Amino acid sequence: MRINNINNSIEPQKQLLLNHPLYNKVKTIDDLHCFLETHIYAVWDFMSLLKALQEKLTCTTTPWFPVGNPETRYLINEIVLAEETDLTVDGKRQSHFEMYLDAMNECGANTWPMTTFLEKVDITKNIFVAIKQSDLHPNVKAFLDFTFRVIEEGKPHKIAAAFTFGREDLIPSMFTEILKNFQQNFPETKLDKLIYYFERHIELDADEHGPMAMKMIQELCGNNETKWDEMEKVSIEALEKRIGLWNAIEEQILEKECSAV
């Protein structure tokens, strides 16, 4: 199957991510804050990938028409339901992005840069201008720019590649590594909401969303070799941009350590 070919092609990038030195750099509460305050951008732009897929694969306008394959419609709507309105640790309904912000607030991380960035997006009405004008690390800008370039191009199979191989398929293993670090280095810190967020993603993506996304990939590409080739290229680039994001966070942590000496 072509999915297996893609998995083989992206294995080097996946291994770089799963063995990235960043995980061992998050040792203090300041390190943790640094991690969260940058990772939140990946949490946010994931929602944009998701909604772009919903727009492409279902009917989100009126009058309604039965767009595309019913099986694919079900898959994407099922993922949207959990990502936009999941149950929190307190039994309330929130998107996973809002859960992450709450978890940041609980442990004292700064959410102001993220909320300010969203205000800038709203004011400019242009995501690329907002990214360019921001004070974000160049690697974070490149990460976001890649996501929204894929979305802007508008090809469902490419968006699905960034969504599936760059996020859903990767997250269970990657978040497991992050969670191990939290539990080892911050046993006394109040991280109930943060741990719940990561545990919830590991559970959902491994058992439900990951397999659903793989079915969606198969439906979108079928026997079209061009689409499979394009999907492979996007998947590799998505992982390379994620490696760049991890590099940026590691660099920021090291800079803070040097300035504190």
Side-chain angles (χ1 to χ4, degrees), residues 111-123:
T111 60
W112 182 82
M114 179 75 246
T115 55
T116 301
F117 176 77
L118 292 183
E119 289 172 5
K120 175 69 76 173
V121 173
D122 186 45
I123 291 168

Side-chain angles (χ1 to χ4, degrees), residues 158-226:
K158 287 190 174 184
I159 301 171
F163 177 84
T164 301
F165 294 104
R167 307 296 179 95
E168 292 290 74
D169 184 51
L170 176 72
I171 280 173
S173 298
M174 187 170 65
F175 279 12
T176 297
E177 291 301 313
I178 294 171
L179 200 54
K180 284 180 189 175
N181 177 285
F182 289 170
Q183 292 165 336
Q184 289 171 2
N185 292 332
F186 308 103
E188 305 301 325
T189 306
K190 189 167 178 57
L191 298 177
D192 294 355
K193 291 182 178 180
L194 190 62
I195 289 172
Y196 176 82
Y197 170 88
F198 283 108
E199 288 180 338
R200 183 67 176 140
H201 261 278
I202 291 167
E203 174 191 359
L204 277 175
D205 294 342
D207 298 338
E208 299 176 35
H209 293 180
M212 284 180 177
M214 289 300 177
K215 287 183 181 178
M216 178 176 62
I217 290 289
Q218 193 67 53
E219 289 285 344
L220 288 173
C221 289
N223 296 317
N224 189 315
E225 291 298 317
T226 299

Side-chain angles (χ1 to χ4, degrees), residues 88 90 94 97-107 111 193-194:
T88 68
D90 303 321
Q94 273 189 333
F97 172 73
E98 291 164 312
M99 281 188 197
Y100 202 95
L101 285 176
D102 277 356
M104 289 176 68
N105 284 321
E106 181 184 57
C107 72
T111 60
K193 291 182 178 180
L194 190 62

